[in-house]
Amino acid sequence: QVQLVESGGGSVQTGGSLRLSCAATGYSISSDCMGWFRQAPGQEREEVAAIGASSYSRWYAPSVVEDRFTISRDNTRNTVYLQMNSLKPEDTAIYYCAADPLGRCLEYAHWGLGTQVTVSS
């Protein structure tokens, strides 16, 4: 059974940092494009970052992360990370990871249940 499990969320103050992890079980994500998404209360889900299978291709939502976030992956651990620095209250949301087995970062077939990030001012 394919599972993506996010961890590392929590409550921090403005300017703080968190490192989210997304561990996959049930299959290897080494060929997948992996993405991080977030959804704040009352808002639509938005994509924050994505990383290709080889890690050479990385994409960030410029209006969202402003060079504060870094996505990475360790295929030996079947895990993807999102390092978030200089956090702001508007970063408060549930963060989800997702996998696109076709590797195109377009059709995310597998999703985790999310981890809550709360940033207080």
Side-chain angles (χ1 to χ4, degrees):
Q1 182 181 359
V2 175
Q3 274 193 315
L4 300 178
V5 180
E6 302 94 338
S7 62
S11 297
V12 297
Q13 293 187 328
T14 298
S17 298
L18 285 172
R19 187 193 194 204
L20 306 183
S21 299
C22 171
T25 60
Y27 86 118
S28 170
I29 61 170
S30 61
S31 299
D32 294 11
C33 173
M34 300 296 296
W36 281 99
F37 295 74
R38 69 185 185 186
Q39 187 167 21
Q43 298 187 21
E44 293 186 354
R45 184 176 64 197
E46 60 182 352
E47 190 168 10
V48 173
I51 186 168
S54 66
S55 296
Y56 289 118
S57 298
R58 306 187 195 201
W59 172 89
Y60 298 95
S63 62
V64 172
V65 301
E66 300 169 332
D67 297 325
R68 298 179 294 121
F69 293 4
T70 302
I71 189 170
S72 62
R73 67 192 298 160
D74 184 346
N75 287 339
T76 65
R77 296 180 182 273
N78 224 26
T79 300
V80 177
Y81 305 96
L82 185 68
Q83 177 68 44
M84 305 186 296
N85 300 324
S86 302
L87 284 163
K88 306 174 181 180
E90 50 264 44
D91 294 318
T92 295
I94 299 175
Y95 284 71
Y96 301 89
C97 71
D100 176 358
L102 298 179
R104 300 179 298 177
C105 306
L106 293 175
E107 298 177 40
Y108 291 95
H110 306 300
W111 291 82
L113 296 179
T115 185
Q116 176 71 49
V117 171
T118 303
V119 185
S120 58
S121 57

